Amino acid sequence: MSHSPNRVFAIALGLVYFAVGIFGFFYTSDITFFGTQGAAFIGLFGVNPFLNLIHLVLGVALLLSGLIGPMIAKLANTGIGALFLLAAFVGLFISWGDNPLNVFAFNGADLILHFATAVVLLAVGLGADPIQRASKAA
């Protein structure tokens, strides 16, 4: 198994987000599925069951991509990094007050974490493991 930065990072972050998704359900037993005011995961991050499910899916996607190979991990890191960046920017507009569009229960800490995760995923996905091009025989 190759120890490419994309594989290692996808596996590590996949395990973290999978665990966050699982543990998040312990915090949200009394929160509605799309609750706009979520429970405070580790006292800081807003979560609801919908966001827990998203964390599980993203965690599994990252974990599997890292186990499959470096190019799949590179694609997953880049694509999921773009999704986290989108979530951070959308969260800027929907997370204030009791906005009914905030079905993710985002708060300020979530936005910072999602933006940081996006930057790191995109940096690894775009910067590590360059695509090897087949060289032509002369």
Side-chain angles (χ1 to χ4, degrees):
M1 178 154 124
S2 160
H3 294 292
S4 80
N6 274 293
R7 287 186 91 170
V8 170
F9 197 75
I11 290 170
L13 197 61
L15 288 170
V16 168
Y17 270 95
F18 183 79
V20 165
I22 294 290
F23 289 118
F25 284 110
F26 292 105
Y27 288 84
T28 59
S29 61
D30 60 344
I31 305 292
T32 61
F33 192 76
F34 293 110
T36 59
Q37 297 296 317
F41 183 70
I42 64 170
L44 192 58
F45 303 103
V47 292
N48 63 17
F50 181 53
L51 190 57
N52 294 334
L53 185 60
I54 291 171
H55 287 151
L56 283 172
V57 169
L58 292 177
V60 167
L62 285 167
L63 182 58
L64 289 177
S65 72
L67 293 172
I68 290 171
M71 289 301 107
I72 298 298
K74 180 180 183 68
L75 289 171
N77 288 342
T78 304
I80 293 173
L83 286 175
F84 272 106
L85 188 60
L86 177 65
F89 279 119
V90 168
L92 287 172
F93 299 100
I94 67 171
S95 65
W96 304 108
D98 194 19
N99 188 337
L101 297 177
N102 190 9
V103 297
F104 307 102
F106 285 157
N107 64 18
D110 290 315
L111 301 181
I112 293 168
L113 178 64
H114 291 143
F115 183 72
T117 301
V119 168
V120 174
L121 276 170
L122 288 168
V124 173
L126 296 173
D129 301 323
I131 296 173
Q132 301 296 323
R133 300 199 188 269
S135 61
K136 292 184 177 183

